[in-house]
Short mmCIF file of all heavy atoms in Angstrom, two decimals:
data_model
loop_
_atom_site.label_atom_id
_atom_site.label_comp_id
_atom_site.label_asym_id
_atom_site.label_seq_id
_atom_site.Cartn_x
_atom_site.Cartn_y
_atom_site.Cartn_z
N PRO A 3 8.21 31.91 1.35
CA PRO A 3 8.43 30.64 0.68
C PRO A 3 8.79 29.48 1.60
O PRO A 3 8.43 28.27 1.34
CB PRO A 3 9.62 30.97 -0.35
CG PRO A 3 9.48 32.38 -0.58
CD PRO A 3 8.94 32.95 0.68
N ASN A 9 4.65 23.86 5.13
CA ASN A 9 3.21 23.52 5.06
C ASN A 9 2.95 22.38 4.10
O ASN A 9 2.26 21.40 4.36
CB ASN A 9 2.38 24.76 4.76
CG ASN A 9 0.93 24.52 4.95
OD1 ASN A 9 0.54 23.77 5.79
ND2 ASN A 9 0.07 25.24 4.19
N VAL A 11 5.08 20.09 2.97
CA VAL A 11 5.72 18.86 3.51
C VAL A 11 4.80 18.32 4.55
O VAL A 11 4.55 17.02 4.59
CB VAL A 11 7.10 19.16 4.07
CG1 VAL A 11 7.58 17.89 4.83
CG2 VAL A 11 8.08 19.43 3.00
N GLY A 12 4.26 19.07 5.46
CA GLY A 12 3.40 18.63 6.49
C GLY A 12 2.13 18.06 5.98
O GLY A 12 1.64 16.94 6.45
N LYS A 19 0.30 9.22 5.92
CA LYS A 19 -0.16 8.50 7.06
C LYS A 19 -1.55 8.02 6.91
O LYS A 19 -1.90 6.93 7.24
CB LYS A 19 -0.05 9.48 8.30
CG LYS A 19 1.35 9.60 8.87
CD LYS A 19 1.38 10.45 10.07
CE LYS A 19 2.73 10.63 10.53
NZ LYS A 19 2.78 11.48 11.74
N MET A 22 -1.64 4.92 4.81
CA MET A 22 -1.14 3.68 5.43
C MET A 22 -2.21 3.17 6.45
O MET A 22 -2.20 1.99 6.65
CB MET A 22 0.07 4.07 6.23
CG MET A 22 1.27 4.41 5.40
SD MET A 22 1.82 3.13 4.30
CE MET A 22 1.43 3.95 2.75
N GLY A 27 -2.71 -5.36 8.58
CA GLY A 27 -1.54 -6.28 8.72
C GLY A 27 -0.27 -5.67 8.10
O GLY A 27 -0.08 -4.51 8.01
N GLY A 38 6.82 2.96 -9.81
CA GLY A 38 8.03 2.84 -8.99
C GLY A 38 7.75 1.97 -7.85
O GLY A 38 6.90 1.13 -7.82
N CYS A 41 4.28 0.86 -1.42
CA CYS A 41 3.94 0.16 -0.31
C CYS A 41 2.64 -0.65 -0.59
O CYS A 41 1.60 -0.03 -0.93
CB CYS A 41 3.71 1.08 0.83
SG CYS A 41 3.04 0.26 2.32
N ILE A 42 2.73 -2.02 -0.56
CA ILE A 42 1.54 -2.80 -0.81
C ILE A 42 1.07 -3.44 0.44
O ILE A 42 1.84 -3.67 1.33
CB ILE A 42 1.81 -3.87 -1.85
CG1 ILE A 42 2.81 -4.86 -1.44
CG2 ILE A 42 2.18 -3.16 -3.22
CD1 ILE A 42 2.92 -6.15 -2.30
N VAL A 44 -2.80 -5.51 2.36
CA VAL A 44 -4.24 -5.90 2.24
C VAL A 44 -5.07 -4.72 2.66
O VAL A 44 -4.90 -4.18 3.64
CB VAL A 44 -4.40 -7.13 3.21
CG1 VAL A 44 -5.89 -7.54 3.20
CG2 VAL A 44 -3.63 -8.34 2.72
N PHE A 45 -6.10 -4.47 1.87
CA PHE A 45 -7.07 -3.41 2.19
C PHE A 45 -8.47 -3.77 1.61
O PHE A 45 -8.56 -4.61 0.69
CB PHE A 45 -6.63 -2.01 1.79
CG PHE A 45 -6.37 -1.83 0.40
CD1 PHE A 45 -7.45 -1.57 -0.49
CD2 PHE A 45 -5.07 -1.81 -0.11
CE1 PHE A 45 -7.13 -1.23 -1.83
CE2 PHE A 45 -4.81 -1.58 -1.44
CZ PHE A 45 -5.85 -1.28 -2.31
N TYR A 56 -2.07 -1.13 -3.57
CA TYR A 56 -1.32 0.04 -3.13
C TYR A 56 -2.19 1.22 -3.50
O TYR A 56 -3.13 1.22 -4.32
CB TYR A 56 0.04 0.16 -3.63
CG TYR A 56 0.18 0.32 -5.10
CD1 TYR A 56 0.27 1.53 -5.75
CD2 TYR A 56 0.24 -0.80 -5.96
CE1 TYR A 56 0.37 1.56 -7.11
CE2 TYR A 56 0.37 -0.77 -7.32
CZ TYR A 56 0.46 0.46 -7.93
OH TYR A 56 0.56 0.57 -9.32
N GLY A 61 -4.47 9.09 -5.02
CA GLY A 61 -5.47 8.52 -4.11
C GLY A 61 -6.16 7.24 -4.64
O GLY A 61 -6.87 6.56 -3.96
N LYS A 64 -4.85 0.66 -6.40
CA LYS A 64 -4.50 -0.22 -7.53
C LYS A 64 -4.19 -1.64 -6.99
O LYS A 64 -3.51 -1.79 -6.03
CB LYS A 64 -3.15 0.26 -8.22
CG LYS A 64 -2.67 -0.43 -9.30
CD LYS A 64 -3.23 -0.04 -10.63
CE LYS A 64 -2.47 -0.76 -11.67
NZ LYS A 64 -3.25 -0.88 -12.88
N ILE A 66 -2.87 -5.54 -6.93
CA ILE A 66 -1.81 -6.40 -7.48
C ILE A 66 -2.56 -7.67 -7.99
O ILE A 66 -3.12 -8.36 -7.20
CB ILE A 66 -0.76 -6.78 -6.43
CG1 ILE A 66 -0.18 -5.56 -5.80
CG2 ILE A 66 0.33 -7.72 -6.93
CD1 ILE A 66 0.65 -4.68 -6.66
N THR A 68 -2.50 -11.10 -9.34
CA THR A 68 -1.73 -12.43 -9.50
C THR A 68 -2.59 -13.50 -8.90
O THR A 68 -3.38 -13.30 -7.98
CB THR A 68 -0.37 -12.33 -8.82
OG1 THR A 68 0.23 -13.63 -8.73
CG2 THR A 68 -0.52 -11.89 -7.32
N LEU A 71 -2.54 -13.98 -5.11
CA LEU A 71 -3.22 -13.05 -4.23
C LEU A 71 -4.56 -12.75 -4.71
O LEU A 71 -4.83 -11.58 -5.15
CB LEU A 71 -2.29 -11.77 -4.15
CG LEU A 71 -0.96 -11.91 -3.68
CD1 LEU A 71 -0.11 -10.68 -3.84
CD2 LEU A 71 -0.92 -12.41 -2.26
N VAL A 73 -8.72 -12.02 -4.85
CA VAL A 73 -9.70 -11.23 -4.05
C VAL A 73 -10.33 -12.30 -3.02
O VAL A 73 -10.67 -13.39 -3.37
CB VAL A 73 -10.80 -10.67 -4.92
CG1 VAL A 73 -11.85 -9.99 -4.11
CG2 VAL A 73 -10.17 -9.70 -5.85
N MET A 74 -10.44 -11.74 -1.70
CA MET A 74 -11.07 -12.71 -0.69
C MET A 74 -12.02 -11.91 0.23
O MET A 74 -11.91 -10.81 0.32
CB MET A 74 -9.93 -13.30 0.16
CG MET A 74 -8.93 -14.17 -0.56
SD MET A 74 -7.87 -14.98 0.57
CE MET A 74 -7.58 -16.53 -0.27
N THR A 75 -12.75 -12.69 0.95
CA THR A 75 -13.64 -12.09 1.92
C THR A 75 -13.01 -12.07 3.38
O THR A 75 -13.53 -11.49 4.33
CB THR A 75 -14.96 -12.91 2.05
OG1 THR A 75 -14.79 -14.18 2.36
CG2 THR A 75 -15.75 -12.63 0.80
N GLU A 78 -7.52 -11.95 7.03
CA GLU A 78 -6.45 -12.67 7.69
C GLU A 78 -5.84 -13.69 6.74
O GLU A 78 -4.65 -13.94 6.69
CB GLU A 78 -7.00 -13.35 8.93
CG GLU A 78 -7.54 -12.48 9.97
CD GLU A 78 -8.95 -11.95 9.76
OE1 GLU A 78 -9.60 -12.53 8.86
OE2 GLU A 78 -9.43 -10.99 10.47
N ASP A 85 2.03 -12.49 2.97
CA ASP A 85 3.31 -12.72 3.71
C ASP A 85 4.13 -13.81 3.01
O ASP A 85 5.33 -13.63 2.86
CB ASP A 85 3.00 -13.12 5.15
CG ASP A 85 2.42 -11.91 5.95
OD1 ASP A 85 2.49 -10.81 5.57
OD2 ASP A 85 1.75 -12.28 7.04
N GLU A 95 9.79 -5.77 4.33
CA GLU A 95 8.61 -5.26 5.09
C GLU A 95 8.76 -3.83 5.38
O GLU A 95 9.90 -3.33 5.71
CB GLU A 95 8.53 -6.07 6.33
CG GLU A 95 7.12 -5.77 7.10
CD GLU A 95 6.99 -6.69 8.33
OE1 GLU A 95 7.70 -7.64 8.51
OE2 GLU A 95 6.06 -6.34 9.14
#
Side-chain angles (χ1 to χ4, degrees):
N9 192 28
V11 169
K19 284 182 181 178
M22 294 301 114
C41 173
I42 65 167
V44 174
F45 58 84
Y56 61 96
K64 179 86 173 156
I66 304 296
T68 171
L71 301 171
V73 173
M74 295 187 151
T75 56
E78 297 81 11
D85 293 340
E95 187 174 349

